[in-house]
Amino acid sequence: MRCSHRDVAGSLRGKHSRQINWQNLQNKVVGCSDGSIYGVYIAKGAISEEINQLSLNMWTSELMQGYTANLRATKDGSLRFVERSGLVNDSVLNNTLEKLFGDLLFSDLQIPLKIVATDIFDGEKVILSTGYLRDAVRASIAIPINSPPGK
């Protein structure tokens, strides 16, 4: 099942309005791709308004910086791809993740979190559950060709 940030925020809004203690109902959160960002916020115990604000502030046109120029460059042959290439300049994304998560670790969360990424070399699933959240989220949200892979 795929859901948007509005679905997540709406579900959490309902959660808080009914005063359900979800921590007793769930023992972990799992996130993949952009769901990993929302997973961090849910595992931090964020309320729906925080998650909605996150979506409004994060997903901006700046994240696609360089896309059009680089796409043209691939067409005329002046840009060649290697395994670490991407059509967008990922510095904006990396800076945004740094602002959002800083030095926050998996171990700092209220609810255990696992983030799913894909190994670019063999296509295998990678489950991340230790270390810096910004690095795990970055690995999970990478889109081949569009953005360089996370490390």
Side-chain angles (χ1 to χ4, degrees):
M1 181 174 104
R2 184 170 171 93
C3 62
S4 70
H5 76 275
R6 286 184 207 91
D7 297 329
V8 172
S11 296
L12 291 173
R13 200 169 16 258
K15 167 192 125 170
H16 287 285
S17 68
R18 290 189 299 273
Q19 298 302 308
I20 296 171
N21 185 346
W22 276 31
Q23 291 204 15
N24 288 338
L25 298 176
Q26 298 182 29
N27 59 5
K28 67 181 166 187
V29 175
V30 177
C32 181
S33 192
D34 62 339
S36 65
I37 298 165
Y38 301 110
V40 171
Y41 271 70
I42 291 167
K44 280 176 41 175
I47 59 173
S48 61
E49 288 77 20
E50 288 178 86
I51 294 174
N52 193 41
Q53 196 60 46
L54 163 73
S55 293
L56 295 173
N57 293 333
M58 172 128 189
W59 303 115
T60 66
S61 60
E62 289 179 342
L63 290 178
M64 296 302 288
Q65 182 178 353
Y67 178 82
T68 303
N70 288 335
L71 188 60
R72 285 188 189 116
T74 62
K75 186 176 180 181
D76 70 21
S78 61
L79 178 65
R80 301 252 186 246
F81 278 92
V82 296
E83 70 239 8
R84 304 244 5 114
S85 296
L87 290 173
V88 298
N89 176 347
D90 66 342
S91 63
V92 173
L93 175 61
N94 293 335
N95 290 336
T96 300
L97 293 174
E98 177 66 32
K99 286 178 197 170
L100 287 174
F101 304 123
D103 290 333
L104 192 65
L105 299 167
F106 279 88
S107 59
D108 296 328
L109 299 173
Q110 293 177 21
I111 301 170
L113 171 69
K114 295 195 183 300
I115 292 180
V116 181
T118 303
D119 186 309
I120 191 168
F121 295 108
D122 63 17
E124 292 296 316
K125 165 177 63 176
V126 178
I127 307 293
L128 305 166
S129 59
T130 61
Y132 292 108
L133 289 162
R134 67 173 182 264
D135 296 337
V137 168
R138 179 63 185 86
S140 186
I141 64 176
I143 301 170
I145 299 176
N146 188 58
S147 59
K151 296 179 183 175

